[in-house]
Amino acid sequence: MLDQLHEMEGRALAELAGHKTEQALEQWHVAFLGRKGALTELLRGIGRLSAEERPAFGQEANRVKTALEKAYEDRALTLKQEAALHQLAREQVDVTLPGRPIAPGFLHVSTRTLREIYDIFAAMGFQVVEAPEVETDIYNFQLLNMPPHHPARDMWNTFHTTHEGVLLRTHTSPGQIRVMLEHCPEPIRVILPGKCYRYEQVTARHEFMFYQVEGLAIGEHLTMADLKGTLASFARQMFGPERKVRFRASYFPFTEPSAELDIDCVLCGGKGCRVCKNSGWLEILGCGMVHPNVMRNGGYDPACYTGFAFGMGPERIAMLKYGIDDIRHFFANDLRFLQQFV
Ligand code: DAH
């Protein structure tokens, strides 16, 4: 019996050393130490031993049981540690791998165009000033020589708010009044960039939000010649020194006389094409001499001071410059479009 016990112990230990999985370990435990396992089997035979042999066998069986339990625990622990080491090795970070590059950001084509405009006007002494996007009817229309019900208001489809008389500015022109009231009677040379909003059906040529750059110069001897020189110079710096320019008579309530500035078509050079609708000319901005009423509304005496003003859309300018055929591209946030202007 003792021989059998020792043979079983030897076999159990040998088998245990070969087991590599938790499942195999459990099966081993059942086979040797379980309720129907080898050790229990042997203990059942104790009855066949003589009274003198029994205590020694019992003691030895207990030692074997403890030894096997201990061996089992040790093996289980070893397996666990091996698994952990394995996992660590597998999950090791290779610090020598090349990093993932962070894609650098870039400027939006509207921002780039705005900055080009700032640079050109800065060189001619114009400062950049900002004005509110949420405006009142008074600044957006009335002080610009458009009393309530003035028909010229139809030129701007307006987003009104639930506050009576408060609206989203339809153009940057109300900024003219704000700058005048702040600086009168000093001379002024500013550009006012910013977003404008219009209650428009969005199409290839119309957005409900877009940028404008307003310009305003006020002094004691400014004439239409100053307006023409300044804006012709701007157009040639923006679109190329070879550009022809023409001032075409127009109407705005806040200027008198008013004009629109055209350049010869950048695409066909004036021969006529799809972009210039066969006219040979592209309209790039509106302008004029500041109306005496607007002068007065800004605190300047029109008998002593004159001024010129202009307003342009940088998106429109970028469209003409880069041949973009749809204004909706600008704020659709499609990188395939935006990345072309890096
Ligand atoms: N505010 C005009 C518009 O949105 C543009 C404009 C025209 C501005 C003539 C001016 C100007 O300052 O003199 O259509």
Side-chain angles (χ1 to χ4, degrees):
M1 284 283 279
L2 268 177
D3 286 352
Q4 273 176 296
L5 184 63
H6 288 142
E7 184 272 332
M8 186 277 286
E9 182 185 13
R11 193 154 42 88
L13 291 175
E15 266 187 40
L16 185 64
H19 288 328
K20 294 216 174 335
T21 67
E22 211 178 304
Q23 207 187 359
L25 231 55
E26 275 326 298
Q27 280 169 6
W28 177 92
H29 196 271
V30 171
F32 289 100
L33 297 165
R35 271 194 297 121
K36 292 178 182 159
L39 186 65
T40 320
E41 264 332 286
L42 282 172
L43 283 170
R44 274 213 193 103
I46 206 162
R48 277 184 266 124
L49 291 178
S50 64
E52 300 84 62
E53 284 174 317
R54 278 181 204 170
F57 181 79
Q59 251 176 30
E60 186 59 6
N62 264 338
R63 186 200 56 78
V64 169
K65 183 176 160 59
T66 315
L68 291 185
E69 286 289 3
K70 167 102 175 49
Y72 166 81
E73 298 291 341
D74 287 352
R75 185 77 190 127
L77 189 68
T78 311
L79 280 187
K80 237 194 199 138
Q81 284 169 344
E82 272 175 14
L85 283 175
H86 233 84
Q87 194 178 0
L88 272 182
R90 233 186 10 238
E91 291 176 359
Q92 211 168 41
V93 178
D94 182 351
V95 294
T96 66
L97 281 175
R100 293 190 196 100
I102 298 167
F106 56 90
L107 293 180
H108 190 279
V109 57
S110 293
T111 308
R112 288 178 45 133
T113 310
L114 280 168
R115 292 191 181 182
E116 270 180 75
I117 297 171
Y118 301 164
D119 284 349
I120 294 170
F121 282 103
M124 294 192 273
F126 286 76
Q127 256 181 299
V128 176
V129 177
E130 290 194 337
E133 287 174 26
V134 179
E135 263 297 4
T136 59
D137 184 276
I138 298 173
Y139 280 91
N140 197 82
F141 293 120
Q142 293 175 38
L143 297 176
L144 290 168
N145 207 25
M146 278 176 279
H149 310 298
H150 192 291
R153 287 182 176 223
D154 280 356
M155 290 163 75
W156 298 274
N157 296 322
T158 309
F159 279 118
H160 297 276
T161 70
T162 45
H163 288 270
E164 178 75 30
V166 178
L167 45 79
L168 300 186
R169 68 176 175 190
T170 56
H171 50 178
T172 42
S173 303
Q176 288 188 28
I177 302 286
R178 292 185 178 273
V179 172
M180 285 196 265
L181 287 174
E182 195 177 334
H183 292 286
C184 68
E186 278 147 29
I188 289 173
R189 234 188 265 184
V190 294
I191 53 172
L192 291 136
K195 289 186 194 114
C196 304
Y197 303 83
R198 291 202 193 158
Y199 184 48
E200 299 271 7
Q201 175 70 51
V202 173
T203 67
R205 289 161 46 83
H206 299 273
E207 257 293 4
F208 69 88
M209 186 213 78
F210 52 89
Y211 280 92
Q212 272 195 349
V213 178
E214 190 80 13
L216 176 68
I218 298 205
E220 283 181 59
H221 306 290
L222 289 176
T223 69
M224 190 93 182
D226 297 301
L227 175 154
K228 288 181 75 175
T230 304
L231 294 180
S233 170
F234 162 74
R236 294 198 175 106
Q237 290 183 66
M238 196 71 192
F239 292 100
E242 72 284 5
R243 288 273 76 84
K244 288 196 198 104
V245 295
R246 78 173 181 190
F247 289 84
R248 186 167 33 78
S250 183
Y251 170 76
F252 298 101
F254 30 88
T255 41
E256 180 59 36
S258 304
E260 271 161 298
L261 173 58
D262 298 342
I263 54 175
D264 61 329
C265 180
V266 288
L267 213 75
C268 64
K271 285 191 213 64
C273 69
R274 193 180 53 86
V275 172
C276 60
K277 298 203 202 80
N278 280 317
S279 70
W281 294 96
L282 300 170
E283 177 202 321
I284 63 166
L285 55 80
C287 56
M289 299 307 290
V290 180
H291 194 285
N293 288 347
V294 175
M295 279 298 218
R296 269 189 286 270
N297 292 340
Y300 287 81
D301 178 357
C304 312
Y305 298 93
T306 54
F308 66 85
F310 53 90
M312 67 183 86
E315 281 84 24
R316 179 170 166 78
I317 293 208
M319 285 170 83
L320 299 175
K321 192 163 165 161
Y322 302 115
I324 300 164
D325 61 3
D326 195 320
I327 196 170
R328 289 170 291 195
H329 288 313
F330 283 84
F331 304 110
N333 270 342
D334 187 334
L335 283 179
R336 290 170 302 178
F337 169 75
L338 297 173
Q339 275 170 336
Q340 296 175 72
F341 307 96
V342 176

